[in-house]
Amino acid sequence: MFRVLNYLTIYLSFLHIVHATSRTSPPTGAKIVRAGTANSGEFSTPSAAVNSLPNDSSSQSIFIYPGTYTEQVSITRVGPLTIYGYTTDTSTYKNNQATIQFGLDAGQAGSDDASGTLRIHKDNFKMYNVNVKNTFGVGSQAIALSQYGDRVGIYGCGLYGYQDTLLAEQGAQVYLRGYIEGATDFIFGQRGQAYFGGNTIGVKGAGWVTASGRSSDDSTSYVFNANTIVTASGAFSNATSRQYFGRPWSNYAKYVGIHARSGEAHIPGRVIFKNTVVTAPFNTALWSEWSTSTPNTDHVFFADYNTSGGGVSGASRPSFATVLSASQAAAYTISSAVGSDYTSWVDTSYVV
Ligand SMILES: *[C@@H]1O[C@H](CO)[C@@H](O)[C@H](O)[C@H]1NC(C)=O
Ligand SMILES: *[C@@H]1O[C@H](CO)[C@@H](O)[C@H](O)[C@H]1NC(C)=O
Ligand SMILES: *[C@@H]1O[C@H](CO)[C@@H](O)[C@H](O)[C@H]1NC(C)=O
């Protein structure tokens, strides 16, 4: 029996290996980014490759060889663009070898968006197996990925920061089979229609996974399905019992001082977590008000369904949180989050 199990294990790990697909050379027609390159026609940074593209409606692609590229990259071209990172396993973020990083906070940059290491201000964008980091660290908003496009897919990518890692600000967007790390409000935005499936979410310190700042009673939402929330490597000790699924962002509460965007009233929050495994030790409330003086909980829809894992043992949710039944949960899908035409722009092989 032992021998049979052993053979089974070997057979299963073999299956896993054969299912891993590598992407270690550029797809036909892609612009090539290679650190330190002297080859004619290649680019030594992602921004140089992006800036070389025609600003027309043509479809373009970029392939990034292994390396750490320290710069901000802003993308505004009109036509579709796909960026591929070098990897030995396209199905996961774990083998990514191309990293774009920068360390700038919103105070220095002038706005959340301007601090972004990678800023997407275009529609029809895909990115595979690239890591994007804001290395600023603790103390202020410092965005890794600032996303303002429509029909945007982020596949097998790693997004790293501490406060406000991912600005999922507007447009239909999906994040699939990747990694998202942070502590304070690290997935946030106002009008994003976002779906998150099969990601690992890494908690670095005390805080809130999401801070939805939905600006009106519109149809936008953040829908999470089958993600795993873990303690990030190198997490601070205050990650324990001081992390939540989310809190409702109010513009006034957040943008006092340097970020004043006066006049915008915010009705916060519609966030749904389905089928989540939480191993990071959450606060037993699971959901939080914005602050004691500004709770912002009047209009929130904060819901979870089939949450499991040691991190949520003894959960005792506040009255503004909802636990969904199976039939209620069935209404929140990739289609409800980003639109029923999603198969026309999402890489469905990554959908969880
Ligand atoms: C491309 O054109 C769009 C639309 O006119 C414009 O908003 C954007 O700034 C342009 N980007 C570049 C890189 O020229
Ligand atoms: C969590 O701990 C880190 C490291 O000591 C600290 O910088 C951070 O401010 C703490 N977070 C909170 C919310 O207290
Ligand atoms: C609950 O979530 C777990 C983890 O994602 C999943 O394996 C399981 O199938 C889910 N159960 C139901 C009833 O959906």
Side-chain angles (χ1 to χ4, degrees), residues 16 19-21 87 89-93 129 156 177 350:
H16 178 74
H19 280 219
T21 307
T87 180
D89 185 352
T90 56
S91 72
T92 171
Y93 65 90
N129 304 105
R177 298 183 191 272
Y350 282 79

Side-chain angles (χ1 to χ4, degrees), residues 34-216:
R34 196 191 309 254
T37 187
N39 300 338
S40 122
E42 295 186 356
F43 300 90
S44 58
T45 64
S47 62
V50 167
N51 293 338
S52 79
L53 299 172
N55 195 5
D56 59 15
S57 60
S58 63
S59 292
Q60 300 283 341
S61 66
I62 292 172
F63 175 80
I64 309 178
Y65 273 101
T68 298
Y69 302 85
T70 303
E71 61 170 1
Q72 284 182 288
V73 180
S74 172
I75 310 183
T76 61
R77 80 176 297 267
V78 172
L81 175 64
T82 303
I83 298 181
Y84 300 99
Y86 180 110
T87 180
T88 51
D89 185 352
T90 56
S91 72
T92 171
Y93 65 90
K94 289 178 181 165
N95 295 16
N96 294 354
Q97 293 185 45
T99 297
I100 305 171
Q101 69 174 33
F102 207 68
L104 181 65
D105 78 315
Q108 295 167 267
S111 70
D112 286 340
D113 174 48
S115 77
T117 300
L118 176 61
R119 301 164 66 193
I120 310 300
H121 285 260
K122 68 174 278 44
D123 300 339
N124 300 306
F125 176 77
K126 291 188 171 89
M127 185 165 72
Y128 293 86
N129 304 105
V130 175
N131 293 332
V132 179
K133 304 185 180 183
N134 191 318
T135 56
F136 176 81
V138 185
S140 171
Q141 298 93 334
I143 282 72
L145 177 63
S146 178
Q147 204 311 94
Y148 282 67
D150 192 29
R151 298 185 297 281
V152 168
I154 306 296
Y155 306 104
C157 293
L159 308 178
Y160 297 78
Y162 191 85
Q163 179 169 346
D164 295 356
T165 306
L166 169 59
L167 174 50
E169 176 66 2
Q170 65 186 33
Q173 50 200 299
V174 297
Y175 301 84
L176 300 171
R177 298 183 191 272
Y179 180 74
I180 306 169
E181 180 175 292
T184 308
D185 304 333
F186 60 100
I187 299 171
F188 80 113
Q190 297 173 67
R191 294 175 297 279
Q193 301 161 246
Y195 182 78
F196 301 83
N199 300 287
T200 300
I201 296 172
V203 170
K204 195 85 181 184
W208 307 266
V209 176
T210 64
S212 164
R214 199 159 66 103
S215 53
S216 63

Side-chain angles (χ1 to χ4, degrees), residues 106-107 110 141 251-262:
Q141 298 93 334
N251 218 23
Y252 286 110
K254 185 152 189 175
Y255 280 149
V256 171
I258 56 168
H259 293 291
R261 284 187 200 162
S262 54

Side-chain angles (χ1 to χ4, degrees), residues 225-228 274-277 305-308 326:
N225 183 42
N227 299 280
T228 303
K274 291 170 53 167
N275 305 316
T276 313
V277 178
Y305 167 70
N306 182 30
T307 305
S308 65

